[in-house]
Structure formats: structure tokens, C-alpha cells
Amino acid sequence: MDDVKAPARKRFRTDTVSGIVGYRLRRAQMHVFQQFNLHFAEFDLRPAEFSVLALIADNPGSKQTEIAHALGIKRANFVALISGLDARGLTERRLLAGDRRSHALFLTALGARTMTKLSKAQADFEARWVAKLGGREARDQLLVLLDRLVAKD
Amino acid sequence: MDDVKAPARKRFRTDTVSGIVGYRLRRAQMHVFQQFNLHFAEFDLRPAEFSVLALIADNPGSKQTEIAHALGIKRANFVALISGLDARGLTERRLLAGDRRSHALFLTALGARTMTKLSKAQADFEARWVAKLGGREARDQLLVLLDRLVAKD
């Protein structure tokens, strides 16, 4: 760690990384998630927790593996996440009859009431991004392009 | 945790989360990053580490804060990341004369050679995504839409 003079430079160059789809995706995703955390601050829920609640609401009684798979979350991370929601009284795990190793996931009454509020907050939040994108058509175009990235070859 | 019968259900519904821009962005970003890890396995580098090397290559002598800011990485996380690259002999931090609290970042000779190989691997990797998206025009369209999400209101 020798002392050096700061090299004379014009401006900070980001051209290489800026040309990379993955880098741009990550920047956009981080921005949307940071805004999510602000918008949902009163609920104290991260995006993945919101998604878990929404998936359980749409699929009461689903197995942990189904939700984890839908979110692309590793099993260990999912267990930590659902344990947190359980501890807050938003979800509950019940043993499935005839399959003692599987838990069925449900929203509690509190979880269902919270989900109703979350859905309203989410609708507002989503409307902001649709507006920023330039309308529903642009939003749909974005989703089509994102789908192509994820599609099997 | 009472025993319950698995509720009769048709199929696992993801409509709610699938309609959310943030969820779809995250799924696409995770997919591209997972593929990055496979494609760059021989280098044992995560996407953020690649970006740091590319940014230092483009901006030799930049400060840690500049790189961290460009990547949207918190200072503590960035210090851990750059320490790892230092330990592997890819980067080095030098104290700036006249500013004893700032480090200037450089690639080592090994780092520069590695970066040359990485750039080739990155070009192949990027070409795959451009092809999946349907060509350069579709890629540019995606970048425009991602920019709109990140743009200041």
C-alpha cells in the first residue's frame, strides 16, 4: 500500500458495466426493492415476505416447497423467512395428515387482514411503476422481455 | 400445528405475484445471475466482483466510495468484497498522498490479465442474452425500460 498521487481522470466511467444486461437488471431491481421498503415501511415487510403472504393467500394449504420454488428461494432461507412470519402471527404451519414431514401453510386471521391492506398498498405501488414505464403497454413489453430472459433455451 | 387434510386445489396460482414488476424483475435478475455463476465458474467470481474489477479497469485509481456508489453497494459490504479481491491478488489498495483516509484502487498485473479473460467470457455471456431477447434492438428496448424505472421522478 504505497502512497500514490490520484491519477488525473476526466469522469468516472461506467460504460463497460452499463452495457451489461445483468448489471442493468440488478440496478433496476435494487431500486424497485429499495422503494418497496420505503412504501411498505409501516408493514415492516421485505419484498420476499410480501410475495410469500400473497402466494399463501392465493394458495391456502400449499407446501413450503411449492412456495419456495415459486420464489426461487433456497429451502434454508425459506424456513427462516416463514418462521419470521409465523412468529409475527401472520402465517401458520399445520402438519398434513398422512404426510408428517410436510407442512401446509395458511394465513392467520391477522395475516388475512394484513394481506387486504398490503394488496391496496401494492396496487398503488405498482401504479407508480406503470406510470414511470410509460403506461400499461410499456409495462407489458417489459414483462415480455423479462420472460424471454428466463425462458428455457 | 393441528393436522389438516390437504385442501383440494387445481394448480398452484402465481397470478398475483406474476403481475408485479418487482417480482418479475427479481426472477429475471436471479436467473441471469445464476447463469453468470455457471458461465464464470472457472473464475470463481460473483457478478458484483466482476463489476468491481471492470470498474477499476475502466477507472484506475478510483476511490472505494466511487466504486461502491456505482454498484449501489453499502460501504461495509464493499470493504468485504474488495478485501476478498485483494487477498486473491487481483486488486490492490494504495493510500492516496494528501488524503490518508482514502484508498485508490488498482488492478494488479494478475488482475489485468484476469480482466482480459473475463472480458472475453463476458462478451460470450452477453451475446447469449441478446439472442434470447431477440436481438440488439430488443436488448436496447429492455435497457430503455429499465432506465425509466430507475429515473428520478
Side-chain angles (χ1 to χ4, degrees):
Chain A
M1 306 232 294
D2 304 324
D3 280 24
V4 289
K5 282 186 196 155
R9 247 182 321 106
K10 307 95 222 169
R11 57 176 196 81
F12 192 78
R13 288 181 51 205
T14 57
D15 352 352
T16 303
V17 289
S18 293
I20 298 175
V21 166
Y23 175 84
R24 297 285 282 275
L25 269 179
R26 177 66 172 153
R27 292 311 309 262
Q29 175 264 314
M30 288 196 329
H31 178 72
V32 172
F33 274 36
Q34 281 160 2
Q35 295 298 314
F36 179 100
N37 291 334
L38 294 177
H39 188 80
F40 288 81
E42 61 173 305
F43 298 102
D44 190 25
L45 283 174
R46 291 175 298 122
E49 293 171 321
F50 170 88
S51 294
V52 167
L53 293 177
L55 285 166
I56 297 175
D58 282 353
N59 304 278
S62 21
K63 293 184 182 183
Q64 304 197 92
T65 45
E66 289 177 302
I67 309 269
H69 178 75
L71 292 174
I73 297 181
K74 284 180 194 148
R75 188 178 165 77
N77 296 336
F78 182 75
V79 169
L81 195 159
I82 194 75
S83 300
L85 296 174
D86 270 24
R88 292 170 66 177
L90 297 170
T91 55
E92 57 182 339
R93 285 174 279 190
R94 302 184 202 151
L95 278 174
L96 280 176
D99 181 0
R100 309 222 54 102
R101 295 186 311 172
S102 265
H103 287 120
L105 303 176
F106 296 89
L107 297 187
T108 60
L110 172 63
R113 285 197 303 277
T114 303
M115 192 64 227
T116 303
K117 291 182 208 160
L118 285 170
S119 296
K120 283 183 195 151
Q122 172 56 33
D124 291 344
F125 188 63
E126 198 65 16
R128 183 202 300 185
W129 301 114
V130 174
K132 284 194 88 166
L133 285 167
R136 299 182 69 86
E137 202 174 318
R139 191 268 312 270
D140 292 346
Q141 201 169 33
L142 173 62
L143 297 187
V144 165
L145 292 166
L146 295 177
D147 272 354
R148 288 187 193 163
L149 291 176
V150 177
K152 296 260 181 285
D153 286 312
Chain B
M1 303 232 295
D2 304 325
D3 279 24
V4 289
K5 283 184 196 157
R9 249 185 316 110
K10 307 94 222 170
R11 55 174 197 81
F12 191 78
R13 289 181 49 203
T14 58
D15 349 355
T16 302
V17 289
S18 293
I20 297 175
V21 166
Y23 174 85
R24 297 284 283 275
L25 269 179
R26 177 67 172 154
R27 291 311 308 263
Q29 175 264 314
M30 288 194 331
H31 179 71
V32 172
F33 274 36
Q34 281 159 3
Q35 295 299 313
F36 179 100
N37 291 333
L38 295 177
H39 188 80
F40 288 81
E42 63 173 302
F43 298 102
D44 190 23
L45 283 173
R46 291 175 299 123
E49 292 170 323
F50 170 88
S51 294
V52 167
L53 293 176
L55 285 167
I56 297 175
D58 283 353
N59 304 279
S62 20
K63 294 184 182 184
Q64 304 196 94
T65 45
E66 289 177 302
I67 310 268
H69 177 76
L71 293 173
I73 297 182
K74 285 180 193 151
R75 188 177 166 77
N77 296 336
F78 181 75
V79 169
L81 195 158
I82 195 75
S83 299
L85 295 174
D86 271 23
R88 292 169 66 177
L90 296 171
T91 56
E92 57 182 339
R93 285 175 279 189
R94 302 184 203 150
L95 278 175
L96 279 176
D99 180 359
R100 308 220 55 99
R101 296 185 310 171
S102 266
H103 287 121
L105 303 176
F106 296 88
L107 296 186
T108 60
L110 173 63
R113 285 198 304 277
T114 304
M115 193 64 228
T116 304
K117 291 182 207 159
L118 285 170
S119 296
K120 283 184 195 149
Q122 172 56 32
D124 291 345
F125 188 63
E126 198 65 15
R128 183 204 299 186
W129 301 113
V130 174
K132 285 195 87 167
L133 285 167
R136 299 182 69 86
E137 203 174 317
R139 192 269 310 270
D140 292 346
Q141 200 168 32
L142 173 62
L143 297 187
V144 165
L145 291 167
L146 294 176
D147 272 354
R148 289 186 192 164
L149 290 176
V150 177
K152 295 261 180 286
D153 286 313

Coordinates of all heavy atoms in Angstrom, one line a residue, chain A residues 86-132:
Chain A
D86 N -44.5 -16.6 10.9 CA -45.2 -17.3 11.9 C -45.1 -16.6 13.3 O -46.0 -16.4 14.0 CB -44.5 -18.7 12.1 CG -45.2 -19.8 11.2 OD1 -45.7 -19.4 10.2 OD2 -45.1 -21.0 11.5
A87 N -43.8 -16.2 13.6 CA -43.6 -15.5 14.9 C -44.4 -14.2 15.0 O -44.7 -13.8 16.1 CB -42.1 -15.3 15.1
R88 N -44.6 -13.6 13.9 CA -45.4 -12.4 13.9 C -46.9 -12.6 13.8 O -47.7 -11.7 13.8 CB -45.0 -11.5 12.7 CG -43.5 -11.0 12.9 CD -43.0 -10.3 11.7 NE -43.8 -9.1 11.4 CZ -43.5 -8.3 10.4 NH1 -42.5 -8.6 9.6 NH2 -44.2 -7.2 10.1
G89 N -47.3 -13.9 13.8 CA -48.7 -14.2 13.8 C -49.4 -14.0 12.5 O -50.6 -14.0 12.5
L90 N -48.6 -13.9 11.4 CA -49.2 -13.7 10.1 C -49.6 -15.0 9.4 O -50.5 -15.0 8.6 CB -48.3 -12.8 9.3 CG -48.0 -11.4 9.8 CD1 -46.9 -10.7 9.0 CD2 -49.3 -10.6 9.8
T91 N -48.8 -16.0 9.6 CA -49.0 -17.3 9.0 C -48.9 -18.4 10.0 O -48.5 -18.2 11.1 CB -47.8 -17.6 8.0 OG1 -46.6 -17.5 8.6 CG2 -47.8 -16.6 6.8
E92 N -49.4 -19.6 9.6 CA -49.3 -20.7 10.5 C -49.0 -22.0 9.6 O -49.5 -22.1 8.5 CB -50.5 -20.9 11.4 CG -51.8 -21.1 10.7 CD -53.0 -21.2 11.7 OE1 -52.7 -21.6 12.8 OE2 -54.1 -21.0 11.3
R93 N -48.2 -22.9 10.2 CA -47.9 -24.1 9.5 C -48.7 -25.2 10.2 O -48.6 -25.3 11.4 CB -46.4 -24.4 9.6 CG -45.6 -23.5 8.7 CD -44.1 -23.7 8.9 NE -43.6 -23.0 10.1 CZ -42.3 -22.8 10.4 NH1 -41.4 -23.4 9.7 NH2 -42.0 -22.1 11.5
R94 N -49.4 -26.0 9.4 CA -50.1 -27.2 10.1 C -49.5 -28.4 9.4 O -49.3 -28.5 8.2 CB -51.6 -27.1 9.8 CG -52.2 -25.8 10.3 CD -53.7 -25.8 10.2 NE -54.2 -24.4 10.2 CZ -55.3 -24.0 9.5 NH1 -56.0 -24.9 8.8 NH2 -55.7 -22.8 9.6
L95 N -49.4 -29.5 10.2 CA -49.0 -30.7 9.7 C -50.0 -31.3 8.8 O -51.2 -31.3 9.1 CB -48.6 -31.7 10.8 CG -47.3 -31.5 11.5 CD1 -47.1 -32.5 12.7 CD2 -46.2 -31.8 10.5
L96 N -49.6 -31.9 7.7 CA -50.6 -32.5 6.8 C -50.8 -33.9 7.3 O -49.9 -34.7 7.5 CB -50.0 -32.6 5.4 CG -50.1 -31.3 4.5 CD1 -49.4 -31.5 3.2 CD2 -51.6 -30.9 4.3
A97 N -52.1 -34.3 7.4 CA -52.4 -35.7 7.8 C -51.9 -36.6 6.7 O -52.0 -36.4 5.5 CB -54.0 -35.8 7.8
G98 N -51.2 -37.7 7.2 CA -50.7 -38.7 6.2 C -49.4 -38.3 5.6 O -48.8 -39.1 4.8
D99 N -48.9 -37.2 6.0 CA -47.5 -36.8 5.5 C -46.9 -36.0 6.5 O -46.9 -34.7 6.5 CB -47.7 -36.0 4.2 CG -46.3 -35.6 3.6 OD1 -45.3 -35.9 4.2 OD2 -46.3 -34.9 2.5
R100 N -46.3 -36.6 7.5 CA -45.8 -36.0 8.7 C -44.6 -35.1 8.5 O -44.2 -34.3 9.4 CB -45.6 -37.0 9.8 CG -46.7 -38.0 10.0 CD -46.9 -38.3 11.5 NE -47.1 -37.1 12.2 CZ -48.3 -36.6 12.6 NH1 -49.4 -37.2 12.4 NH2 -48.4 -35.5 13.3
R101 N -44.0 -35.2 7.3 CA -42.9 -34.3 7.1 C -43.2 -33.0 6.4 O -42.4 -32.1 6.3 CB -41.8 -35.1 6.3 CG -41.2 -36.3 7.1 CD -40.1 -36.9 6.3 NE -40.5 -37.1 4.9 CZ -39.7 -37.5 3.9 NH1 -38.4 -37.7 4.2 NH2 -40.1 -37.7 2.7
S102 N -44.5 -32.9 5.9 CA -44.9 -31.8 5.2 C -45.7 -30.8 6.0 O -46.6 -31.3 6.7 CB -45.7 -32.2 3.9 OG -44.9 -32.3 2.8
H103 N -45.5 -29.6 5.8 CA -46.4 -28.6 6.5 C -47.2 -27.9 5.4 O -46.7 -27.6 4.3 CB -45.5 -27.5 7.2 CG -44.9 -28.0 8.4 ND1 -43.6 -28.0 8.7 CD2 -45.5 -28.5 9.6 CE1 -43.3 -28.5 9.9 NE2 -44.5 -28.8 10.4
A104 N -48.5 -27.7 5.8 CA -49.4 -26.9 4.9 C -49.4 -25.5 5.5 O -49.4 -25.3 6.7 CB -50.8 -27.5 4.9
L105 N -49.3 -24.5 4.6 CA -49.2 -23.1 5.0 C -50.5 -22.4 4.9 O -51.2 -22.5 3.8 CB -48.1 -22.4 4.2 CG -46.7 -23.0 4.2 CD1 -45.8 -22.3 3.3 CD2 -46.1 -23.0 5.6
F106 N -50.8 -21.6 5.9 CA -52.1 -20.8 5.9 C -51.8 -19.4 6.4 O -50.9 -19.2 7.2 CB -53.1 -21.5 6.8 CG -53.6 -22.8 6.3 CD1 -52.9 -24.0 6.7 CD2 -54.7 -22.9 5.4 CE1 -53.3 -25.2 6.2 CE2 -55.0 -24.2 4.9 CZ -54.4 -25.3 5.4
L107 N -52.6 -18.4 6.0 CA -52.6 -17.1 6.6 C -53.5 -17.3 7.9 O -54.5 -18.0 7.9 CB -53.2 -16.0 5.8 CG -52.5 -15.7 4.4 CD1 -53.2 -14.5 3.8 CD2 -51.0 -15.4 4.7
T108 N -53.1 -16.6 9.0 CA -53.9 -16.5 10.1 C -55.0 -15.4 9.8 O -54.9 -14.7 8.8 CB -53.1 -16.0 11.4 OG1 -52.5 -14.7 11.0 CG2 -52.0 -17.0 11.7
A109 N -55.9 -15.2 10.7 CA -56.9 -14.1 10.5 C -56.2 -12.8 10.5 O -56.5 -11.9 9.6 CB -57.9 -14.1 11.7
L110 N -55.2 -12.6 11.3 CA -54.4 -11.3 11.2 C -53.6 -11.3 9.9 O -53.6 -10.2 9.3 CB -53.3 -11.3 12.4 CG -52.3 -10.2 12.3 CD1 -53.0 -8.8 12.5 CD2 -51.2 -10.3 13.4
G111 N -53.1 -12.4 9.4 CA -52.4 -12.4 8.2 C -53.3 -12.0 7.0 O -52.9 -11.3 6.1
A112 N -54.6 -12.5 7.1 CA -55.5 -12.2 6.0 C -55.9 -10.7 6.0 O -56.0 -10.1 5.0 CB -56.8 -13.1 6.2
R113 N -56.1 -10.2 7.2 CA -56.4 -8.7 7.3 C -55.2 -7.9 6.8 O -55.4 -6.9 6.1 CB -56.7 -8.3 8.8 CG -58.1 -8.8 9.2 CD -58.5 -8.0 10.5 NE -57.6 -8.1 11.6 CZ -57.5 -9.2 12.5 NH1 -58.4 -10.2 12.4 NH2 -56.7 -9.2 13.5
T114 N -54.0 -8.3 7.2 CA -52.8 -7.6 6.7 C -52.7 -7.7 5.2 O -52.4 -6.7 4.5 CB -51.6 -8.2 7.4 OG1 -51.7 -8.2 8.8 CG2 -50.3 -7.5 7.0
M115 N -53.0 -8.9 4.7 CA -52.9 -9.1 3.2 C -53.9 -8.1 2.5 O -53.5 -7.6 1.4 CB -53.2 -10.5 2.9 CG -52.9 -10.9 1.4 SD -51.1 -10.8 1.1 CE -51.1 -9.9 -0.5
T116 N -55.0 -7.9 3.0 CA -56.0 -6.9 2.4 C -55.4 -5.5 2.3 O -55.5 -4.9 1.3 CB -57.3 -6.9 3.3 OG1 -57.8 -8.2 3.3 CG2 -58.3 -6.0 2.6
K117 N -54.8 -5.1 3.4 CA -54.1 -3.8 3.4 C -52.9 -3.8 2.5 O -52.7 -2.8 1.7 CB -53.6 -3.4 4.8 CG -54.7 -3.1 5.8 CD -54.1 -2.8 7.2 CE -55.1 -3.1 8.3 NZ -54.4 -3.2 9.6
L118 N -52.2 -4.9 2.5 CA -51.0 -5.0 1.6 C -51.4 -4.9 0.1 O -50.7 -4.3 -0.7 CB -50.3 -6.3 1.8 CG -49.4 -6.4 3.1 CD1 -49.0 -7.9 3.3 CD2 -48.2 -5.5 3.0
S119 N -52.5 -5.5 -0.2 CA -52.9 -5.5 -1.6 C -53.2 -4.1 -2.1 O -52.9 -3.7 -3.2 CB -54.2 -6.4 -1.8 OG -53.9 -7.7 -1.5
K120 N -53.8 -3.3 -1.2 CA -54.1 -1.9 -1.6 C -52.8 -1.1 -1.8 O -52.6 -0.4 -2.7 CB -55.0 -1.2 -0.5 CG -56.4 -1.6 -0.6 CD -57.3 -0.9 0.5 CE -58.6 -1.6 0.6 NZ -59.2 -1.4 2.0
A121 N -51.9 -1.3 -0.8 CA -50.6 -0.6 -0.9 C -49.9 -1.1 -2.2 O -49.2 -0.3 -2.8 CB -49.8 -0.9 0.3
Q122 N -50.0 -2.4 -2.5 CA -49.3 -2.9 -3.6 C -49.9 -2.3 -4.9 O -49.1 -2.0 -5.9 CB -49.4 -4.4 -3.7 CG -48.8 -5.1 -4.9 CD -47.4 -4.7 -5.3 OE1 -46.6 -4.5 -4.4 NE2 -47.1 -4.6 -6.6
A123 N -51.2 -2.1 -5.0 CA -51.8 -1.6 -6.2 C -51.3 -0.2 -6.4 O -51.0 0.2 -7.6 CB -53.3 -1.6 -6.0
D124 N -51.2 0.6 -5.4 CA -50.6 2.0 -5.5 C -49.2 1.9 -6.0 O -48.7 2.7 -6.8 CB -50.6 2.7 -4.2 CG -52.0 3.1 -3.7 OD1 -52.9 3.0 -4.5 OD2 -52.2 3.4 -2.5
F125 N -48.4 1.0 -5.4 CA -47.0 0.9 -5.7 C -46.8 0.5 -7.1 O -46.0 1.1 -7.8 CB -46.4 -0.1 -4.7 CG -44.9 -0.2 -4.8 CD1 -44.1 0.8 -4.4 CD2 -44.3 -1.4 -5.2 CE1 -42.7 0.7 -4.4 CE2 -42.9 -1.5 -5.2 CZ -42.1 -0.5 -4.8
E126 N -47.6 -0.4 -7.6 CA -47.5 -0.9 -8.9 C -47.9 0.2 -9.9 O -47.2 0.3 -11.0 CB -48.4 -2.1 -9.1 CG -48.1 -3.0 -10.3 CD -46.7 -3.7 -10.3 OE1 -46.1 -3.7 -9.1 OE2 -46.2 -4.1 -11.3
A127 N -48.9 0.9 -9.6 CA -49.3 2.0 -10.5 C -48.2 3.0 -10.7 O -48.1 3.6 -11.8 CB -50.6 2.7 -9.9
R128 N -47.4 3.2 -9.7 CA -46.3 4.2 -9.8 C -45.3 3.7 -10.9 O -44.8 4.4 -11.7 CB -45.5 4.3 -8.5 CG -44.4 5.3 -8.5 CD -43.3 5.0 -7.5 NE -43.9 5.1 -6.1 CZ -43.2 5.0 -5.0 NH1 -41.8 4.8 -5.1 NH2 -43.7 5.0 -3.8
W129 N -45.0 2.4 -10.9 CA -44.0 1.8 -11.9 C -44.6 1.8 -13.3 O -43.9 2.1 -14.3 CB -43.6 0.4 -11.5 CG -42.9 0.5 -10.1 CD1 -43.4 -0.1 -9.0 CD2 -41.7 1.2 -9.7 NE1 -42.6 0.2 -7.9 CE2 -41.5 1.0 -8.4 CE3 -40.8 2.0 -10.5 CZ2 -40.5 1.5 -7.7 CZ3 -39.7 2.5 -9.8 CH2 -39.6 2.3 -8.4
V130 N -45.9 1.5 -13.4 CA -46.6 1.5 -14.7 C -46.5 2.9 -15.3 O -46.1 3.1 -16.4 CB -48.0 1.0 -14.6 CG1 -48.7 1.2 -15.9 CG2 -48.1 -0.4 -14.1
A131 N -46.7 3.9 -14.4 CA -46.6 5.3 -14.9 C -45.2 5.7 -15.3 O -45.0 6.3 -16.3 CB -47.1 6.3 -13.8
K132 N -44.2 5.3 -14.5 CA -42.8 5.6 -14.8 C -42.4 4.9 -16.1 O -41.6 5.5 -16.9 CB -41.9 5.1 -13.7 CG -41.9 6.0 -12.5 CD -40.7 5.7 -11.5 CE -39.5 6.5 -12.0 NZ -38.5 6.5 -10.9

